[in-house]
Amino acid sequence: MNKLREKLAESNHDFRATSEIFPSINVDKVASSLQLDETAEENGRNNSPPTSARNFDALERALVERIQDEQKAAHQTVEDNLQLFSERLASSTYVGRKIFAMPC
């Protein structure tokens, strides 16, 4: 029952709620969803990847992809907000011109 309650209380996103444009990533949630502790322990026991490896292993690639996804989402949010602000500014400027252009 406790596990169900914890699951329901979990947020749907990987960042901390904040008013910042680019919020900090919730590291604990990402670690939990990617099962970093368990996978890292298993990889350590198996000495995988070897210290001489030049490429990322599957876990490292998954982590990089998650961070890049969050980066893209944050960038899209900023782009959407800029577009909205631009539209509002254009709308208010147009209305303002119309009011001042009316003959008295």
Side-chain angles (χ1 to χ4, degrees), residues 18-82:
T18 179
S19 61
E20 296 176 7
I21 293 176
F22 297 110
S24 300
I25 292 177
N26 186 340
V27 176
D28 294 330
K29 182 168 180 358
V30 172
S32 173
S33 67
L34 291 177
Q35 299 176 337
L36 289 181
D37 291 336
E38 298 85 3
T39 308
E41 258 183 54
E42 184 179 331
N43 287 352
R45 281 193 301 275
N46 298 331
N47 194 25
S48 173
T51 54
S52 62
R54 297 250 183 233
N55 298 326
F56 290 142
D57 69 350
L59 180 61
E60 293 166 329
R61 283 192 306 274
L63 188 55
V64 168
E65 286 175 13
R66 176 68 65 90
I67 299 301
Q68 288 174 338
D69 288 346
E70 291 299 323
Q71 177 186 15
K72 288 175 188 173
H75 184 261
Q76 186 61 49
T77 299
V78 170
E79 288 290 326
D80 292 346
N81 285 336
L82 286 174

